[in-house]
Amino acid sequence: MTFRTVLALSAAVFAFSGGTVVVDGVSGVGTAPAAAVEVSPHSEPRDDAARVTNAKLKRVDSIELDAESLVFRRGSKTVVEASMRDSRTTVSLLNRLLGTPSRTQTAEGDGGACFPSGTTYTWGGAVRVAALTTPAPAGNAVEIRVLRDAVQSRFGDDVELTGPDGVQVGDDIHDAIADAPKSERVSFGSDDAKAWQLLLEAGWTPDDDQTSEDASDSGTNGVSALTDDTTVTVLGSPMPVHAQRSC
């Protein structure tokens, strides 16, 4: 893969809602174990998720990243769903299921001119959640990236990680890219090192009071797959396609 392709993918991995492009501000020096969940005070836990027992969480065998939520499942049954508008519940459920994450605190601008303030949690190098200090304009209180196809729970079991329709990191999605309309895909890289962003499921509809020009600049938001050639390397939400605004 060429440097140009790597740079493009890195920017897309850490792009925040509304088309902001930032650099990697969450890995490396400054990462430390998280002893407790510290998330935005603006996010309140949902009662249904807060009541889920550890016994029920222990039976979770897959987590699906949808456009606006994380869905915890046992087989085909939904155990609990965490809205991405609720950072406290999202981080708490992952902490209870996957154990202690690494944690990085960032002030606004630490990771780049458009990087918001917040706390980023990473479990097993597989699930990364940036809990924002204040919710983004689209309404999300977290940004989520899935970096592997599975992660080990704190109970010692493997938990499968998927996107919509079962798409996973490591899958070849050549046909889906070829069949998708141009409005739902973006090409990165060059002829000898192709890479793509493919929208898997739309979400985060712009507010009614947003102008048509603002909506156009925001692109189409939702959960996307990033690829190296046609192999999925990252699943992420929110991750807008064809966003034009720099911040």
Side-chain angles (χ1 to χ4, degrees):
M1 185 182 294
T2 66
F3 175 76
R4 178 185 172 192
T5 306
V6 171
L7 187 62
L9 285 173
S10 296
V13 169
F14 297 101
F16 281 73
S17 294
T20 61
V21 178
V22 299
V23 297
D24 183 349
V26 296
S27 61
V29 177
T31 301
V37 177
E38 298 176 7
V39 294
S40 168
H42 300 281
S43 176
E44 295 298 330
R46 291 176 51 172
D47 290 342
D48 55 344
R51 288 198 298 265
V52 175
T53 65
N54 284 339
K56 288 185 177 179
L57 276 179
K58 185 176 181 179
R59 294 194 287 269
V60 167
D61 56 21
S62 70
I63 301 174
E64 178 180 323
L65 174 61
D66 288 340
E68 300 188 22
S69 66
L70 275 181
V71 184
F72 296 72
R73 292 196 174 98
R74 180 190 181 192
S76 60
K77 180 181 179 180
T78 296
V79 175
V80 64
E81 184 170 356
S83 169
M84 291 176 62
R85 299 177 189 275
D86 181 353
S87 59
R88 186 176 299 278
T89 295
T90 299
V91 173
S92 177
L93 285 172
L94 288 169
N95 210 37
R96 290 170 58 198
L97 175 62
L98 304 181
T100 303
S102 62
R103 183 185 65 195
T104 301
Q105 200 95 30
T106 57
E108 185 173 357
D110 275 1
C114 300
F115 203 92
S117 62
T119 305
T120 299
Y121 304 84
T122 305
W123 289 267
V127 181
R128 179 170 293 162
V129 174
L132 311 182
T133 301
T134 57
N140 57 297
V142 296
E143 299 273 345
I144 300 178
R145 302 294 182 258
V146 173
L147 310 175
R148 296 182 181 174
D149 63 352
V151 64
Q152 190 174 71
S153 76
R154 71 183 183 91
F155 307 105
D157 302 314
D158 285 339
V159 177
E160 195 173 24
L161 303 173
T162 76
D165 299 320
V167 174
Q168 291 184 280
V169 171
D171 286 353
D172 189 315
I173 57 172
H174 174 276
D175 291 345
I177 293 171
D179 294 342
K182 291 183 178 180
S183 61
E184 296 181 1
R185 64 185 184 187
V186 176
S187 176
F188 299 109
S190 58
D191 290 340
D192 61 339
K194 291 183 180 297
W196 296 88
Q197 179 183 345
L198 177 67
L199 184 71
L200 300 177
E201 182 180 281
W204 307 109
T205 303
D207 294 334
D208 292 338
D209 59 355
Q210 193 172 28
T211 67
S212 58
E213 183 178 353
D214 287 339
S216 176
D217 287 346
S218 298
T220 303
N221 215 342
V223 57
S224 290
L226 299 179
T227 72
D228 177 3
D229 194 8
T230 57
T231 300
V232 177
T233 56
V234 177
L235 299 171
S237 182
M239 190 183 285
V241 177
H242 296 295
Q244 300 298 316
R245 291 183 295 177
S246 59
C247 287

